[in-house]
Every structure is written in C-alpha cells, then in structure tokens.
Amino acid sequence: MGSSEADDDQLLKSFLAEVSEAERDNEVIRILGCFKLNPFEHLKLSFDSAPDEVKKQYRKLSLLVHPDKCKHPKAQEAFAALAKAQQLLLDPQERGYILDQVHAAKEELRAKRKKELKKDSASKIKFQVDEGKYEEQFESSDEFQKQLIIKVREILTEKEWRRRKMQMRISEEEGRLKKDEEETKEMWKKKREHEEKWEETRDQRVSSWRDFMKTGKKARKGEIKPPKLKTEDPNKSYVQRPVKRA
C-alpha cells in the first residue's frame, strides 16, 4: 500500500469517527429506499463511474453503515445491499446489462427531445447553430440526469417484469412436463405389475388348459347332463332319456 493510499485511509477513518449517529441512520434509510434494480443508486454514483470509483465509494459507504459502527436496526440489511451493488457493478456481464438499459433510456429521452424541438423554433435554430453543443449541455444538466434516472428505472422494471413472467412460464412448463413424466412412470408401473401378476398365474392357466384338452368343456358344479340317445325319427337327431320323477 502506497503512502498516498495510506493517507487516504487515515483521512477516511478520521472522517467517519466524526460522523454522528443520526448521519449513519440517515444513510441506512437512504440505501434501503433506493431503487432495488439500480446498483448505481445504492452507491450514489453516476452511470459513467469507473470500477475503481465503485470500489472506493463502496468502502466509504460500507464503513459508514457497518453494523459494528452503526446502531440502526437495519444496518446489516443496508450493508448487504451495498455489497450486492458493488458485486453487480464489478461483474462485466451485469454491469454491461445495466449500461445497455442506460443507453436505451438515453435514446428514448433524445427522441423525445427532438420532438419537442420541432415545436420550438428558437431551440431548433440554436440547435442547428451550435451543431449539437446545445444538446450536450442539456444532457449534462441536472434536469436531464433526473429524467435519465427515472427512465432507467422504468426500463429496468419492465425488463425485470418480463424476466419474471418468462421464469414463471418456464416453471409452469417444467411442472407440466414433470407431471406428465410421473403419470407415464405410473402407467408403466401398473403395466409391469399386471404383467407380473399374469406371469404368476401361468402354471395355473397351463394346467387348466391341459385339463380342458383332456376332458372338454367343464360342466358347471352340481349339474348332471342326461345321456343322448339316437332315434329313428328323421326330424330329430336324438331324444333325451325320460327323467324319472319322484
């Protein structure tokens, strides 16, 4: 660690030692009141802040609301929110995603600005004379920055809502596929059980078939069929022997 960095750390510690408890509490409230999808807001940074600025600002604010230093009941929650914000802004993919939404927000505001200029002749002439400097000045103004923050919130909210709806549909589809899979497994299970039971009765069925082949169709239990006698009557092939009645 260089002497300059060590001096900065000592200056920061001295500053934090002078911070009142009320200021720490206010910072906790501010952090927890930030728009959850925009880590730049948590760290109080502009959208063009470099990674080194992110690290430096995180260290300053995290020491301010650290649970060991701050007595606010939600200090831990605020401390965790800052840690997550730093993690997102130092991750190239996450940072790129957020900056893409910032770019989209700027384009929407610029398009809106052009429509407004068409209705304002004086502003249109000034814009043409300054060759775009008029717009650069406007985009660096506090008014534009406020509009940009609001527009970024709108876009991030819409993107997150779409993501959650897609995730919900994916979960529903996965649930449906899982249910179909379970029903298919249950069907095959029942089929296997049926085949196993059928196989268990194989010997019995074979024995019954052999008995049938030997004796012919079995008579019902308790039934005695009378013998069949031939007759000379050409209209009858046989007659039954008269049954004696008691």
mmCIF file with all atom_site columns, all heavy atoms in Angstrom, residues 3 11 49 52 69 73 95 107 120 123 128 130 133 178-179 193 196 206-207 218 243:
data_model
loop_
_atom_site.group_PDB
_atom_site.id
_atom_site.type_symbol
_atom_site.label_atom_id
_atom_site.label_alt_id
_atom_site.label_comp_id
_atom_site.label_asym_id
_atom_site.label_entity_id
_atom_site.label_seq_id
_atom_site.pdbx_PDB_ins_code
_atom_site.Cartn_x
_atom_site.Cartn_y
_atom_site.Cartn_z
_atom_site.occupancy
_atom_site.B_iso_or_equiv
_atom_site.pdbx_formal_charge
_atom_site.auth_seq_id
_atom_site.auth_comp_id
_atom_site.auth_asym_id
_atom_site.auth_atom_id
_atom_site.pdbx_PDB_model_num
ATOM 1   N N   . SER A 1 3   ? 2.046   5.364   0.184   1.00 0.00 ? 3   SER A N   1
ATOM 2   C CA  . SER A 1 3   ? 1.846   6.370   1.227   1.00 0.00 ? 3   SER A CA  1
ATOM 3   C C   . SER A 1 3   ? 0.603   7.201   0.977   1.00 0.00 ? 3   SER A C   1
ATOM 4   O O   . SER A 1 3   ? -0.123  7.550   1.915   1.00 0.00 ? 3   SER A O   1
ATOM 5   C CB  . SER A 1 3   ? 3.081   7.281   1.292   1.00 0.00 ? 3   SER A CB  1
ATOM 6   O OG  . SER A 1 3   ? 3.284   7.919   0.030   1.00 0.00 ? 3   SER A OG  1
ATOM 7   N N   . LEU A 1 11  ? -7.408  9.432   6.554   1.00 0.00 ? 11  LEU A N   1
ATOM 8   C CA  . LEU A 1 11  ? -8.336  10.556  6.450   1.00 0.00 ? 11  LEU A CA  1
ATOM 9   C C   . LEU A 1 11  ? -9.775  10.075  6.505   1.00 0.00 ? 11  LEU A C   1
ATOM 10  O O   . LEU A 1 11  ? -10.631 10.699  7.153   1.00 0.00 ? 11  LEU A O   1
ATOM 11  C CB  . LEU A 1 11  ? -8.080  11.326  5.151   1.00 0.00 ? 11  LEU A CB  1
ATOM 12  C CG  . LEU A 1 11  ? -8.944  12.567  4.906   1.00 0.00 ? 11  LEU A CG  1
ATOM 13  C CD1 . LEU A 1 11  ? -8.679  13.614  5.997   1.00 0.00 ? 11  LEU A CD1 1
ATOM 14  C CD2 . LEU A 1 11  ? -8.652  13.146  3.531   1.00 0.00 ? 11  LEU A CD2 1
ATOM 15  N N   . SER A 1 49  ? -19.452 6.000   -13.960 1.00 0.00 ? 49  SER A N   1
ATOM 16  C CA  . SER A 1 49  ? -18.408 5.770   -12.951 1.00 0.00 ? 49  SER A CA  1
ATOM 17  C C   . SER A 1 49  ? -17.585 4.532   -13.298 1.00 0.00 ? 49  SER A C   1
ATOM 18  O O   . SER A 1 49  ? -18.123 3.488   -13.690 1.00 0.00 ? 49  SER A O   1
ATOM 19  C CB  . SER A 1 49  ? -19.037 5.586   -11.565 1.00 0.00 ? 49  SER A CB  1
ATOM 20  O OG  . SER A 1 49  ? -19.734 6.754   -11.186 1.00 0.00 ? 49  SER A OG  1
ATOM 21  N N   . ASP A 1 52  ? -12.929 1.502   -10.449 1.00 0.00 ? 52  ASP A N   1
ATOM 22  C CA  . ASP A 1 52  ? -12.150 1.985   -9.302  1.00 0.00 ? 52  ASP A CA  1
ATOM 23  C C   . ASP A 1 52  ? -12.980 2.918   -8.419  1.00 0.00 ? 52  ASP A C   1
ATOM 24  O O   . ASP A 1 52  ? -12.855 2.902   -7.190  1.00 0.00 ? 52  ASP A O   1
ATOM 25  C CB  . ASP A 1 52  ? -10.900 2.715   -9.791  1.00 0.00 ? 52  ASP A CB  1
ATOM 26  C CG  . ASP A 1 52  ? -9.858  1.754   -10.356 1.00 0.00 ? 52  ASP A CG  1
ATOM 27  O OD1 . ASP A 1 52  ? -9.959  0.546   -10.050 1.00 0.00 ? 52  ASP A OD1 1
ATOM 28  O OD2 . ASP A 1 52  ? -8.968  2.205   -11.098 1.00 0.00 ? 52  ASP A OD2 1
ATOM 29  N N   . LYS A 1 69  ? -20.438 -0.362  13.593  1.00 0.00 ? 69  LYS A N   1
ATOM 30  C CA  . LYS A 1 69  ? -20.315 1.078   13.817  1.00 0.00 ? 69  LYS A CA  1
ATOM 31  C C   . LYS A 1 69  ? -21.662 1.783   13.906  1.00 0.00 ? 69  LYS A C   1
ATOM 32  O O   . LYS A 1 69  ? -21.799 2.798   14.584  1.00 0.00 ? 69  LYS A O   1
ATOM 33  C CB  . LYS A 1 69  ? -19.508 1.708   12.665  1.00 0.00 ? 69  LYS A CB  1
ATOM 34  C CG  . LYS A 1 69  ? -18.129 1.124   12.462  1.00 0.00 ? 69  LYS A CG  1
ATOM 35  C CD  . LYS A 1 69  ? -17.206 1.469   13.610  1.00 0.00 ? 69  LYS A CD  1
ATOM 36  C CE  . LYS A 1 69  ? -15.786 0.958   13.345  1.00 0.00 ? 69  LYS A CE  1
ATOM 37  N NZ  . LYS A 1 69  ? -14.867 1.289   14.449  1.00 0.00 ? 69  LYS A NZ  1
ATOM 38  N N   . PRO A 1 73  ? -31.215 -0.547  13.507  1.00 0.00 ? 73  PRO A N   1
ATOM 39  C CA  . PRO A 1 73  ? -31.618 -1.967  13.469  1.00 0.00 ? 73  PRO A CA  1
ATOM 40  C C   . PRO A 1 73  ? -31.510 -2.610  12.086  1.00 0.00 ? 73  PRO A C   1
ATOM 41  O O   . PRO A 1 73  ? -31.429 -3.835  11.975  1.00 0.00 ? 73  PRO A O   1
ATOM 42  C CB  . PRO A 1 73  ? -33.075 -1.934  13.960  1.00 0.00 ? 73  PRO A CB  1
ATOM 43  C CG  . PRO A 1 73  ? -33.522 -0.521  13.757  1.00 0.00 ? 73  PRO A CG  1
ATOM 44  C CD  . PRO A 1 73  ? -32.313 0.325   13.980  1.00 0.00 ? 73  PRO A CD  1
ATOM 45  N N   . ARG A 1 95  ? -22.748 -5.455  -15.226 1.00 0.00 ? 95  ARG A N   1
ATOM 46  C CA  . ARG A 1 95  ? -22.529 -4.031  -15.484 1.00 0.00 ? 95  ARG A CA  1
ATOM 47  C C   . ARG A 1 95  ? -22.922 -3.688  -16.921 1.00 0.00 ? 95  ARG A C   1
ATOM 48  O O   . ARG A 1 95  ? -23.576 -2.676  -17.173 1.00 0.00 ? 95  ARG A O   1
ATOM 49  C CB  . ARG A 1 95  ? -21.056 -3.690  -15.241 1.00 0.00 ? 95  ARG A CB  1
ATOM 50  C CG  . ARG A 1 95  ? -20.716 -2.204  -15.456 1.00 0.00 ? 95  ARG A CG  1
ATOM 51  C CD  . ARG A 1 95  ? -19.205 -1.987  -15.334 1.00 0.00 ? 95  ARG A CD  1
ATOM 52  N NE  . ARG A 1 95  ? -18.857 -0.597  -15.551 1.00 0.00 ? 95  ARG A NE  1
ATOM 53  C CZ  . ARG A 1 95  ? -18.819 0.323   -14.595 1.00 0.00 ? 95  ARG A CZ  1
ATOM 54  N NH1 . ARG A 1 95  ? -19.115 -0.009  -13.346 1.00 0.00 ? 95  ARG A NH1 1
ATOM 55  N NH2 . ARG A 1 95  ? -18.480 1.574   -14.871 1.00 0.00 ? 95  ARG A NH2 1
ATOM 56  N N   . GLU A 1 107 ? -31.493 7.055   -25.395 1.00 0.00 ? 107 GLU A N   1
ATOM 57  C CA  . GLU A 1 107 ? -32.041 7.136   -26.760 1.00 0.00 ? 107 GLU A CA  1
ATOM 58  C C   . GLU A 1 107 ? -33.509 7.547   -26.733 1.00 0.00 ? 107 GLU A C   1
ATOM 59  O O   . GLU A 1 107 ? -33.957 8.335   -27.575 1.00 0.00 ? 107 GLU A O   1
ATOM 60  C CB  . GLU A 1 107 ? -31.883 5.787   -27.460 1.00 0.00 ? 107 GLU A CB  1
ATOM 61  C CG  . GLU A 1 107 ? -30.439 5.428   -27.808 1.00 0.00 ? 107 GLU A CG  1
ATOM 62  C CD  . GLU A 1 107 ? -29.815 6.456   -28.735 1.00 0.00 ? 107 GLU A CD  1
ATOM 63  O OE1 . GLU A 1 107 ? -30.466 6.877   -29.705 1.00 0.00 ? 107 GLU A OE1 1
ATOM 64  O OE2 . GLU A 1 107 ? -28.659 6.855   -28.478 1.00 0.00 ? 107 GLU A OE2 1
ATOM 65  N N   . ASP A 1 120 ? -40.514 23.961  -31.090 1.00 0.00 ? 120 ASP A N   1
ATOM 66  C CA  . ASP A 1 120 ? -39.895 25.188  -30.572 1.00 0.00 ? 120 ASP A CA  1
ATOM 67  C C   . ASP A 1 120 ? -38.897 25.704  -31.597 1.00 0.00 ? 120 ASP A C   1
ATOM 68  O O   . ASP A 1 120 ? -37.776 25.213  -31.712 1.00 0.00 ? 120 ASP A O   1
ATOM 69  C CB  . ASP A 1 120 ? -39.197 24.886  -29.243 1.00 0.00 ? 120 ASP A CB  1
ATOM 70  C CG  . ASP A 1 120 ? -38.680 26.153  -28.569 1.00 0.00 ? 120 ASP A CG  1
ATOM 71  O OD1 . ASP A 1 120 ? -38.653 27.209  -29.225 1.00 0.00 ? 120 ASP A OD1 1
ATOM 72  O OD2 . ASP A 1 120 ? -38.287 26.067  -27.392 1.00 0.00 ? 120 ASP A OD2 1
ATOM 73  N N   . SER A 1 123 ? -35.385 27.037  -30.183 1.00 0.00 ? 123 SER A N   1
ATOM 74  C CA  . SER A 1 123 ? -34.494 25.963  -29.751 1.00 0.00 ? 123 SER A CA  1
ATOM 75  C C   . SER A 1 123 ? -33.945 25.208  -30.961 1.00 0.00 ? 123 SER A C   1
ATOM 76  O O   . SER A 1 123 ? -32.787 24.792  -30.972 1.00 0.00 ? 123 SER A O   1
ATOM 77  C CB  . SER A 1 123 ? -35.246 24.989  -28.839 1.00 0.00 ? 123 SER A CB  1
ATOM 78  O OG  . SER A 1 123 ? -35.665 25.640  -27.657 1.00 0.00 ? 123 SER A OG  1
ATOM 79  N N   . GLN A 1 128 ? -29.241 23.946  -34.382 1.00 0.00 ? 128 GLN A N   1
ATOM 80  C CA  . GLN A 1 128 ? -28.563 23.889  -35.664 1.00 0.00 ? 128 GLN A CA  1
ATOM 81  C C   . GLN A 1 128 ? -27.295 24.738  -35.674 1.00 0.00 ? 128 GLN A C   1
ATOM 82  O O   . GLN A 1 128 ? -26.272 24.342  -36.238 1.00 0.00 ? 128 GLN A O   1
ATOM 83  C CB  . GLN A 1 128 ? -29.517 24.350  -36.774 1.00 0.00 ? 128 GLN A CB  1
ATOM 84  C CG  . GLN A 1 128 ? -30.678 23.393  -36.993 1.00 0.00 ? 128 GLN A CG  1
ATOM 85  C CD  . GLN A 1 128 ? -31.700 23.951  -37.980 1.00 0.00 ? 128 GLN A CD  1
ATOM 86  O OE1 . GLN A 1 128 ? -31.699 25.143  -38.288 1.00 0.00 ? 128 GLN A OE1 1
ATOM 87  N NE2 . GLN A 1 128 ? -32.569 23.079  -38.481 1.00 0.00 ? 128 GLN A NE2 1
ATOM 88  N N   . ASP A 1 130 ? -25.392 25.625  -33.013 1.00 0.00 ? 130 ASP A N   1
ATOM 89  C CA  . ASP A 1 130 ? -24.377 25.072  -32.109 1.00 0.00 ? 130 ASP A CA  1
ATOM 90  C C   . ASP A 1 130 ? -23.864 23.701  -32.534 1.00 0.00 ? 130 ASP A C   1
ATOM 91  O O   . ASP A 1 130 ? -22.934 23.183  -31.926 1.00 0.00 ? 130 ASP A O   1
ATOM 92  C CB  . ASP A 1 130 ? -24.938 24.969  -30.691 1.00 0.00 ? 130 ASP A CB  1
ATOM 93  C CG  . ASP A 1 130 ? -25.177 26.346  -30.075 1.00 0.00 ? 130 ASP A CG  1
ATOM 94  O OD1 . ASP A 1 130 ? -24.664 27.323  -30.631 1.00 0.00 ? 130 ASP A OD1 1
ATOM 95  O OD2 . ASP A 1 130 ? -25.871 26.407  -29.056 1.00 0.00 ? 130 ASP A OD2 1
ATOM 96  N N   . LYS A 1 133 ? -23.942 21.116  -29.702 1.00 0.00 ? 133 LYS A N   1
ATOM 97  C CA  . LYS A 1 133 ? -23.442 21.512  -28.385 1.00 0.00 ? 133 LYS A CA  1
ATOM 98  C C   . LYS A 1 133 ? -24.600 21.827  -27.433 1.00 0.00 ? 133 LYS A C   1
ATOM 99  O O   . LYS A 1 133 ? -24.490 21.646  -26.227 1.00 0.00 ? 133 LYS A O   1
ATOM 100 C CB  . LYS A 1 133 ? -22.534 22.733  -28.511 1.00 0.00 ? 133 LYS A CB  1
ATOM 101 C CG  . LYS A 1 133 ? -21.229 22.440  -29.249 1.00 0.00 ? 133 LYS A CG  1
ATOM 102 C CD  . LYS A 1 133 ? -20.359 23.677  -29.320 1.00 0.00 ? 133 LYS A CD  1
ATOM 103 C CE  . LYS A 1 133 ? -19.044 23.374  -30.053 1.00 0.00 ? 133 LYS A CE  1
ATOM 104 N NZ  . LYS A 1 133 ? -18.201 24.584  -30.149 1.00 0.00 ? 133 LYS A NZ  1
ATOM 105 N N   . LYS A 1 178 ? -42.998 -32.473 -15.717 1.00 0.00 ? 178 LYS A N   1
ATOM 106 C CA  . LYS A 1 178 ? -42.743 -33.367 -14.596 1.00 0.00 ? 178 LYS A CA  1
ATOM 107 C C   . LYS A 1 178 ? -43.975 -34.205 -14.267 1.00 0.00 ? 178 LYS A C   1
ATOM 108 O O   . LYS A 1 178 ? -43.873 -35.395 -13.990 1.00 0.00 ? 178 LYS A O   1
ATOM 109 C CB  . LYS A 1 178 ? -42.313 -32.550 -13.370 1.00 0.00 ? 178 LYS A CB  1
ATOM 110 C CG  . LYS A 1 178 ? -41.928 -33.405 -12.184 1.00 0.00 ? 178 LYS A CG  1
ATOM 111 C CD  . LYS A 1 178 ? -41.446 -32.546 -11.023 1.00 0.00 ? 178 LYS A CD  1
ATOM 112 C CE  . LYS A 1 178 ? -41.042 -33.405 -9.832  1.00 0.00 ? 178 LYS A CE  1
ATOM 113 N NZ  . LYS A 1 178 ? -40.588 -32.581 -8.687  1.00 0.00 ? 178 LYS A NZ  1
ATOM 114 N N   . LYS A 1 179 ? -45.144 -33.550 -14.336 1.00 0.00 ? 179 LYS A N   1
ATOM 115 C CA  . LYS A 1 179 ? -46.397 -34.267 -14.071 1.00 0.00 ? 179 LYS A CA  1
ATOM 116 C C   . LYS A 1 179 ? -46.636 -35.343 -15.124 1.00 0.00 ? 179 LYS A C   1
ATOM 117 O O   . LYS A 1 179 ? -47.021 -36.469 -14.797 1.00 0.00 ? 179 LYS A O   1
ATOM 118 C CB  . LYS A 1 179 ? -47.560 -33.275 -14.062 1.00 0.00 ? 179 LYS A CB  1
ATOM 119 C CG  . LYS A 1 179 ? -48.894 -33.923 -13.738 1.00 0.00 ? 179 LYS A CG  1
ATOM 120 C CD  . LYS A 1 179 ? -50.009 -32.882 -13.739 1.00 0.00 ? 179 LYS A CD  1
ATOM 121 C CE  . LYS A 1 179 ? -51.357 -33.527 -13.442 1.00 0.00 ? 179 LYS A CE  1
ATOM 122 N NZ  . LYS A 1 179 ? -52.455 -32.529 -13.480 1.00 0.00 ? 179 LYS A NZ  1
ATOM 123 N N   . GLU A 1 193 ? -46.778 -54.366 -13.130 1.00 0.00 ? 193 GLU A N   1
ATOM 124 C CA  . GLU A 1 193 ? -47.433 -55.133 -12.069 1.00 0.00 ? 193 GLU A CA  1
ATOM 125 C C   . GLU A 1 193 ? -48.456 -56.096 -12.652 1.00 0.00 ? 193 GLU A C   1
ATOM 126 O O   . GLU A 1 193 ? -48.578 -57.236 -12.188 1.00 0.00 ? 193 GLU A O   1
ATOM 127 C CB  . GLU A 1 193 ? -48.105 -54.169 -11.086 1.00 0.00 ? 193 GLU A CB  1
ATOM 128 C CG  . GLU A 1 193 ? -47.113 -53.369 -10.251 1.00 0.00 ? 193 GLU A CG  1
ATOM 129 C CD  . GLU A 1 193 ? -47.814 -52.354 -9.367  1.00 0.00 ? 193 GLU A CD  1
ATOM 130 O OE1 . GLU A 1 193 ? -49.042 -52.162 -9.548  1.00 0.00 ? 193 GLU A OE1 1
ATOM 131 O OE2 . GLU A 1 193 ? -47.150 -51.746 -8.500  1.00 0.00 ? 193 GLU A OE2 1
ATOM 132 N N   . GLU A 1 196 ? -46.589 -58.953 -14.231 1.00 0.00 ? 196 GLU A N   1
ATOM 133 C CA  . GLU A 1 196 ? -46.031 -59.847 -13.212 1.00 0.00 ? 196 GLU A CA  1
ATOM 134 C C   . GLU A 1 196 ? -47.108 -60.756 -12.630 1.00 0.00 ? 196 GLU A C   1
ATOM 135 O O   . GLU A 1 196 ? -46.885 -61.954 -12.421 1.00 0.00 ? 196 GLU A O   1
ATOM 136 C CB  . GLU A 1 196 ? -45.379 -59.023 -12.099 1.00 0.00 ? 196 GLU A CB  1
ATOM 137 C CG  . GLU A 1 196 ? -44.082 -58.338 -12.534 1.00 0.00 ? 196 GLU A CG  1
ATOM 138 C CD  . GLU A 1 196 ? -43.548 -57.375 -11.483 1.00 0.00 ? 196 GLU A CD  1
ATOM 139 O OE1 . GLU A 1 196 ? -44.226 -57.220 -10.433 1.00 0.00 ? 196 GLU A OE1 1
ATOM 140 O OE2 . GLU A 1 196 ? -42.480 -56.772 -11.694 1.00 0.00 ? 196 GLU A OE2 1
ATOM 141 N N   . VAL A 1 206 ? -51.887 -72.882 -17.561 1.00 0.00 ? 206 VAL A N   1
ATOM 142 C CA  . VAL A 1 206 ? -51.454 -74.023 -18.376 1.00 0.00 ? 206 VAL A CA  1
ATOM 143 C C   . VAL A 1 206 ? -52.125 -75.304 -17.910 1.00 0.00 ? 206 VAL A C   1
ATOM 144 O O   . VAL A 1 206 ? -52.582 -76.123 -18.715 1.00 0.00 ? 206 VAL A O   1
ATOM 145 C CB  . VAL A 1 206 ? -49.916 -74.169 -18.313 1.00 0.00 ? 206 VAL A CB  1
ATOM 146 C CG1 . VAL A 1 206 ? -49.479 -75.482 -18.963 1.00 0.00 ? 206 VAL A CG1 1
ATOM 147 C CG2 . VAL A 1 206 ? -49.258 -72.987 -18.992 1.00 0.00 ? 206 VAL A CG2 1
ATOM 148 N N   . SER A 1 207 ? -52.207 -75.478 -16.595 1.00 0.00 ? 207 SER A N   1
ATOM 149 C CA  . SER A 1 207 ? -52.854 -76.669 -16.033 1.00 0.00 ? 207 SER A CA  1
ATOM 150 C C   . SER A 1 207 ? -54.331 -76.713 -16.415 1.00 0.00 ? 207 SER A C   1
ATOM 151 O O   . SER A 1 207 ? -54.860 -77.771 -16.782 1.00 0.00 ? 207 SER A O   1
ATOM 152 C CB  . SER A 1 207 ? -52.696 -76.669 -14.516 1.00 0.00 ? 207 SER A CB  1
ATOM 153 O OG  . SER A 1 207 ? -53.367 -77.776 -13.948 1.00 0.00 ? 207 SER A OG  1
ATOM 154 N N   . LYS A 1 218 ? -65.834 -78.074 -19.259 1.00 0.00 ? 218 LYS A N   1
ATOM 155 C CA  . LYS A 1 218 ? -66.246 -78.492 -17.922 1.00 0.00 ? 218 LYS A CA  1
ATOM 156 C C   . LYS A 1 218 ? -67.694 -78.164 -17.665 1.00 0.00 ? 218 LYS A C   1
ATOM 157 O O   . LYS A 1 218 ? -68.177 -77.116 -18.075 1.00 0.00 ? 218 LYS A O   1
ATOM 158 C CB  . LYS A 1 218 ? -65.378 -77.807 -16.861 1.00 0.00 ? 218 LYS A CB  1
ATOM 159 C CG  . LYS A 1 218 ? -63.937 -78.247 -16.870 1.00 0.00 ? 218 LYS A CG  1
ATOM 160 C CD  . LYS A 1 218 ? -63.177 -77.545 -15.773 1.00 0.00 ? 218 LYS A CD  1
ATOM 161 C CE  . LYS A 1 218 ? -61.734 -77.985 -15.739 1.00 0.00 ? 218 LYS A CE  1
ATOM 162 N NZ  . LYS A 1 218 ? -60.990 -77.292 -14.657 1.00 0.00 ? 218 LYS A NZ  1
ATOM 163 N N   . VAL A 1 243 ? -86.694 -88.570 -17.681 1.00 0.00 ? 243 VAL A N   1
ATOM 164 C CA  . VAL A 1 243 ? -86.207 -88.435 -16.314 1.00 0.00 ? 243 VAL A CA  1
ATOM 165 C C   . VAL A 1 243 ? -87.294 -88.910 -15.367 1.00 0.00 ? 243 VAL A C   1
ATOM 166 O O   . VAL A 1 243 ? -88.465 -88.509 -15.495 1.00 0.00 ? 243 VAL A O   1
ATOM 167 C CB  . VAL A 1 243 ? -85.847 -86.979 -16.006 1.00 0.00 ? 243 VAL A CB  1
ATOM 168 C CG1 . VAL A 1 243 ? -85.391 -86.857 -14.540 1.00 0.00 ? 243 VAL A CG1 1
ATOM 169 C CG2 . VAL A 1 243 ? -84.794 -86.482 -16.949 1.00 0.00 ? 243 VAL A CG2 1
#
